[in-house]
Amino acid sequence: MTIKEIFDTMEYGPAPESAADALAWLIDQGDRFGHFIDGAWTEVGDTFESRNPANGEVLAYITQGTPGDVDKAVAAARKAQPKWAKLGGHGRARHLYALARLVQKHARLLAVLETMDNGKPIRESRDIDVPLVARHFYYHAGLAQLMDSEAPGMEPLGVCGQVIPWNFPLLMLAWKIAPAIAAGNTVVLKPAEYTSLTALCFADICRQAGLPKGVVNIVTGDGATGEAIVTHDGIDKVAFTGSTDVGRRIREATAGQGKGLTLELGGKGPYVVFDDADLDSAVEGLVDAIWFNQGQVCCAGSRLLVQEGVADRFHAKLKARMDKLRVGNPLDKCIDVGAIVDPVQLETIHGLVDNAGGDVYRAACDIPEGCYYPPTLITGLSTSDRLMQEEIFGPVLVSTTFRTPDEAVQLANNTRYGLAASVWTENVNLALGMAPKLVAGVVWINGTNMFDAAAGFGGVRESGFGREGGWEGLSAYLRPEGKRKTLSEIEPLTGDPDKPGDGSLDRTAKNYVGGKQARPDGGYARPVWGKSGALLGHVGIGNRKDIRNAVEAAQGAKGWAGTTGHLRAQILYYIAENLEARAAEFAHRIDAMTGGRSGEKEVAASVSRLFTYAAWADKYGGDLRQVPIRGMALAVREPVGVIGALCPDEDPLLGFISVMAPAIAMGNRCVLVPSEPFPLAATDFYQVLETSDVPGGVVNIVTGSHAELAPTLAAHLDVEAVWSFSSSDLSKVVEAKSAGNLKRTWVNNGLARDWFGREGEGRKFLDQATEVKTVWVPYGE
Ligand code: NAI
């Protein structure tokens, strides 16, 4: 193109970034890669090709990891872990800092390599991915440094198995590795098979940084290698980012293995544009929301919801902008949309769109031959259509309209996912009013795709659980110090059914559902015997229908989530007051049931525990994150929703209250199955609840067999979290059954907890009872 032609057309000239350094690095490595285990490269095994999707060229040959390779990597990580942890916060911080510096030093190489391997525009890998990687290591160097003082009494989990996707290969690696090693864990990480190269380059950087061998191990391969890692006996914690289907499979495969698990899965992010929004900014935001990384972004704003009055105008502006997008060689610095990661993914997008129906608008821009897909807008779909619900993971936006803010909320939340949402309006009241109503882990106001290491990222519903970034991200890699004892199963006491009664009135405790005592559906009850064989009463044998009724009642009490912390504190104090008024009666009941003599102490501890959570009720709302934008990110702690819990069998009143109180203090509703052998303290407790202004449906109690009720509770799609502290270890069934709607689980893995001591209360309970929603609020003109 001549200068005259450029002035005549004002066309962009090509501005290619040089691939020379990246190609030289590949050649230096011999373009065939083994794994990086114990600080060294392994022999190259059976390989598969890694291709540049922009031109189809083979970049390198990558080793397919075998179970034997995984064994070696886990062994190396295990060996390295104690010494790495012993380095202390400052020692580890120095290494993380070195990694951050080296990422910056090699920024251009990493960016080019990423673009060649993945097909994303160099503009993005250079200005977004790689700087965020460096930022992540800096931030976590800071967390490592502060850990000793700010997280006393916590220790690393051990060896982490981490599996990542292909859409942000190096960034996802940083999100996984940085918090894990900052906390003192070691890592076995598997990159996605399409995009292993920057992970291997990072391995090289670990060597240059002098990271002790075995701290970071990279094993390449496909899903089978991933499965071998996540299910490996030597792995203490699994962190996964990828598709919801695979996330669900990992949940099932790891059930009952005692591993920590965080899942960052798919999304179908609503992008809500109100009629008073700055429409031009909203169009530009949409370019970032859905055409960033070719739309291969889990938190993409892939579902446009635009207010009816401006819809035509907005769509017209959007189409005009789409036509101007530049699709092409990702290494060209003037390119907006690069190549799709692989022909297989391209096929998937074609398959989804070709069968979509609706009005399909393809951008009238030049689309090169090869692995490219045009920016596309689809209108005229109904909300239940597949493409309104399913992740396309390509540069395809679906759009629909709404009339009122309420309708916008309804449409936005009409999805099985809950990862991210954007809201565009110039009305601050409307924007801040929408944020809490959107079911999502991240809400961007007048913006989109903002990320930072200081701000938690992660989803709710089938978008997974756990957060990456911030202290909450680090906490997934830590546990309280010390070894827990094994919990033995506690059997109910037995008595003589033929012994004549003492003439007192028969009392069969019912369930407590929706604020009322409810006869168990099956109509069956069982006797509860005291130590001396005396009959203390009968208790209902709840069944799956009772659980379903209780969940329905809990779902009906949604208003509780919107009450103030102050009100919830008042109610918890009131419960404590009413319990204390009947302290002697409860103490007597506990002693009679358990045959112990600690009833009085247990009631006193229960009153104190209620005070603890009354105290917390208005003090755990969240905080402000210092993110590098002109604006702020609010980390808001929201209730999880309906929590189902199998309460501890031991300490029947204190255990019950230790579970109930944090749940309701944080605004959750709960369905509680009390101690199986000693249920009567919880059933007596109805009367305390009834006299303490607890709204019906907030606390529901179903007595019965833990083993029988656990699967129903864990599988119920309207339950958002399940906790199991049962002495019959139900961790496996609870975790496996939770996979349906990917509810959060918290299980005891058959280990005891001292309910009287510090581990019976506190932040861990509050964390489990809340979800962090990050609300990004940029401001200024
Ligand atoms: P995927 O979920 O299959 O792959 C992600 C990672 O998991 C890869 O490293 C893969 O090797 C590994 N993996 C696969 N099966 C595994 C198993 N059973 N156990 C352990 N690890 C396993 O995603 P894929 O097939 O690459 O893409 C399919 C669809 O998934 C995409 O079209 C997109 O809709 C979605 N996806 C979502 C991502 C997100 O960030 N939410 C990222 C990548 C894909």
Side-chain angles (χ1 to χ4, degrees):
M1 198 181 261
T2 64
I3 290 179
K4 180 171 183 320
E5 278 169 342
I6 291 172
F7 273 109
D8 283 348
T9 63
M10 290 304 278
E11 249 306 335
Y12 285 90
E17 177 69 50
S18 166
D21 283 358
L23 289 171
W25 180 80
L26 286 170
I27 288 165
D28 256 11
Q29 308 294 315
D31 79 6
R32 302 179 85 80
F33 288 87
H35 311 298
F36 182 73
I37 295 177
D38 207 17
W41 297 105
T42 64
E43 291 286 310
V44 177
D46 288 345
T47 59
F48 56 91
E49 294 168 347
S50 189
R51 287 175 183 270
N52 180 343
N55 55 22
E57 281 169 13
V58 176
L59 293 170
Y61 294 86
I62 309 290
T63 294
Q64 167 64 30
T66 63
D69 297 333
V70 173
D71 282 345
K72 281 186 200 130
V74 173
R78 174 67 59 204
K79 194 162 139 237
Q81 196 271 327
K83 214 166 154 196
W84 176 245
K86 272 208 199 83
L87 263 188
H90 178 60
R92 296 195 301 275
R94 293 176 72 91
H95 281 287
L96 279 132
Y97 174 69
L99 289 171
R101 295 288 292 140
L102 279 170
V103 166
Q104 285 183 314
K105 183 172 162 197
H106 296 297
R108 197 50 67 99
L109 166 66
L110 289 165
V112 173
L113 199 58
E114 193 78 309
T115 282
M116 289 168 68
D117 204 18
N118 165 280
K120 62 174 69 202
I122 184 71
R123 210 169 42 82
E124 292 176 10
S125 48
R126 182 196 62 196
D127 299 344
I128 299 169
D129 295 52
V130 175
L132 281 174
V133 170
R135 162 87 181 126
H136 222 73
F137 280 102
Y138 275 118
Y139 179 83
H140 284 88
L143 288 189
Q145 177 73 24
L146 295 177
M147 244 189 72
D148 297 344
S149 61
E150 299 305 306
M154 301 301 280
E155 64 180 14
L157 298 169
V159 178
C160 303
Q162 307 184 315
V163 177
I164 56 173
W166 40 258
N167 51 349
F168 294 90
L170 190 63
L171 185 57
M172 289 304 102
L173 171 146
W175 282 20
K176 296 282 178 284
I177 290 184
I181 66 174
N185 303 277
T186 53
V187 164
V188 177
L189 176 136
K190 189 193 85 63
E193 48 273 47
Y194 295 149
T195 55
S196 308
L197 294 181
T198 45
L200 296 167
C201 192
F202 181 79
D204 205 18
I205 285 176
C206 290
R207 252 186 350 171
Q208 290 174 39
L211 194 71
K213 57 184 193 172
V215 172
V216 168
N217 303 276
I218 310 280
V219 176
T220 50
D222 61 9
T225 315
E227 197 172 340
I229 294 174
V230 300
T231 55
H232 196 286
D233 280 352
I235 294 289
D236 301 300
K237 143 103 195 159
V238 172
F240 172 77
T241 298
S243 61
T244 293
D245 285 350
V246 173
R248 187 173 283 122
R249 243 178 290 153
I250 291 177
R251 168 68 294 174
E252 284 165 352
T254 57
Q257 296 186 338
K259 294 175 174 146
L261 178 64
T262 42
L263 297 174
E264 200 272 273
L265 309 173
K268 190 76 187 175
Y271 188 98
V272 186
V273 180
F274 284 98
D275 59 8
D276 66 345
D278 172 346
L279 296 189
D280 292 315
S281 296
V283 166
E284 218 42 53
L286 208 38
V287 171
D288 278 340
I290 185 66
W291 292 300
F292 173 53
N293 201 17
Q294 297 68 249
Q296 302 166 134
V297 182
C298 49
C299 53
S302 53
R303 230 170 7 122
L304 170 63
L305 310 176
V306 54
Q307 201 159 15
E308 209 171 71
V310 292
D312 288 345
R313 198 146 55 94
F314 190 76
H315 283 145
K317 280 175 182 282
L318 180 59
K319 287 176 183 170
R321 182 68 181 93
M322 285 167 70
D323 293 346
K324 295 267 181 322
L325 288 171
R326 295 171 53 80
V327 183
N329 176 12
L331 275 180
D332 184 335
K333 287 173 235 166
C334 304
I335 282 301
D336 298 309
V337 181
I340 301 297
V341 72
D342 188 88
V344 170
Q345 186 65 16
L346 184 66
E347 243 345 271
T348 308
I349 301 168
H350 276 296
L352 285 167
V353 176
D354 294 350
N355 299 311
D359 301 318
V360 179
Y361 180 81
R362 293 195 170 83
C365 48
D366 293 335
I367 309 295
E369 284 292 303
C371 211
Y372 293 92
Y373 197 90
T376 301
L377 167 69
I378 307 181
T379 49
L381 295 173
S382 83
T383 47
S384 60
D385 279 338
R386 185 166 178 207
L387 289 201
M388 291 295 282
Q389 295 292 335
E390 299 264 308
E391 198 173 31
I392 302 173
F393 233 61
V396 182
L397 176 69
V398 294
S399 173
T400 191
T401 59
F402 66 88
R403 289 187 179 164
T404 61
D406 280 350
E407 197 193 352
V409 170
Q410 215 178 17
L411 286 170
N413 293 343
N414 179 14
T415 162
R416 65 191 170 111
Y417 296 114
L419 192 51
S422 288
V423 179
W424 291 77
T425 168
E426 293 295 288
N427 177 346
V428 66
N429 288 320
L430 181 58
L432 294 177
M434 286 289 287
K437 293 183 193 147
L438 293 170
V439 182
V442 182
V443 176
W444 293 297
I445 291 177
N446 292 328
T448 184
N449 278 337
M450 289 180 265
F451 310 103
D452 186 58
F457 181 89
V460 295
R461 291 185 175 165
E462 292 183 41
S463 293
F465 44 80
R467 294 290 176 267
E468 298 188 289
W471 283 102
E472 61 271 32
L474 190 79
S475 73
Y477 289 95
L478 290 169
R479 67 170 169 219
E481 275 170 357
K483 268 213 165 316
R484 289 249 170 85
K485 288 201 195 94
T486 310
L487 182 61
S488 355
E489 186 163 349
I490 302 173
E491 302 284 350
L493 299 174
T494 49
D496 177 4
D498 296 328
K499 203 168 148 194
D502 63 0
S504 57
L505 291 181
D506 170 52
R507 281 205 56 206
T508 300
K510 300 190 183 63
N511 291 328
Y512 185 66
V513 174
K516 296 194 182 68
Q517 301 198 18
R519 224 173 275 286
D521 168 70
Y524 293 107
R526 74 160 181 88
V528 181
W529 306 99
K531 182 85 174 169
S532 55
L535 181 65
L536 301 179
H538 282 80
V539 67
I541 302 177
N543 64 16
R544 58 178 65 187
K545 181 121 189 282
D546 295 310
I547 292 286
R548 289 203 289 264
N549 290 341
V551 173
E552 199 179 320
Q555 281 293 349
K558 281 197 169 69
W560 183 247
T563 54
T564 62
H566 174 65
L567 177 83
R568 297 196 294 270
Q570 296 287 295
I571 289 177
L572 280 154
Y573 282 127
Y574 199 18
I575 298 174
E577 193 184 305
N578 285 328
L579 175 61
E580 189 155 87
R582 298 174 58 176
E585 182 194 326
F586 272 92
H588 177 72
R589 180 65 118 181
I590 294 167
D591 289 345
M593 272 195 303
T594 61
R597 305 231 302 252
S598 59
E600 214 173 295
K601 188 173 146 224
E602 188 171 334
V603 176
S606 301
V607 169
S608 166
R609 191 131 300 162
L610 287 161
F611 263 61
T612 296
Y613 292 108
W616 274 121
D618 54 6
K619 298 176 189 65
Y620 211 64
D623 56 40
L624 186 70
R625 297 300 160 83
Q626 285 167 290
V627 290
I629 62 162
R630 194 175 48 166
M632 57 193 171
L634 308 169
V636 184
R637 287 210 173 257
E638 291 189 339
V640 170
V642 172
I643 298 177
L646 302 153
C647 298
D649 287 324
E650 69 276 31
D651 311 323
L653 180 67
L654 180 61
F656 176 85
I657 284 176
S658 301
V659 171
M660 178 203 77
I664 67 172
M666 293 296 105
N668 301 282
R669 295 89 74 203
C670 48
V671 175
L672 305 174
V673 183
S675 165
E676 185 174 337
F678 313 129
L680 298 179
T683 55
D684 292 346
F685 195 71
Y686 308 159
Q687 287 143 17
V688 175
L689 293 171
E690 275 166 351
T691 51
S692 305
D693 293 346
V694 181
V698 171
V699 178
N700 304 277
I701 304 173
V702 177
T703 51
S705 150
H706 284 182
E708 270 168 41
L709 298 178
T712 310
L713 205 51
H716 201 299
L717 297 181
D718 283 332
V719 172
E720 277 88 15
V722 189
W723 301 352
S724 176
F725 300 108
S726 178
S727 71
S728 29
D729 180 13
L730 298 169
S731 306
K732 182 165 182 176
V733 67
V734 165
E735 289 185 338
K737 293 283 177 187
S738 71
N741 65 344
L742 285 163
K743 55 174 70 66
R744 288 116 194 82
T745 55
W746 185 22
V747 297
N748 61 1
N749 294 309
L751 299 177
R753 183 177 287 269
D754 172 12
W755 293 101
F756 281 87
R758 275 184 43 197
E759 54 185 40
E761 66 175 25
R763 284 177 189 268
K764 178 74 186 168
F765 287 79
L766 299 167
D767 288 348
Q768 290 288 346
T770 53
E771 235 6 305
V772 175
K773 177 186 268 181
T774 307
V775 182
W776 290 74
V777 192
Y779 50 67
E781 271 135 52

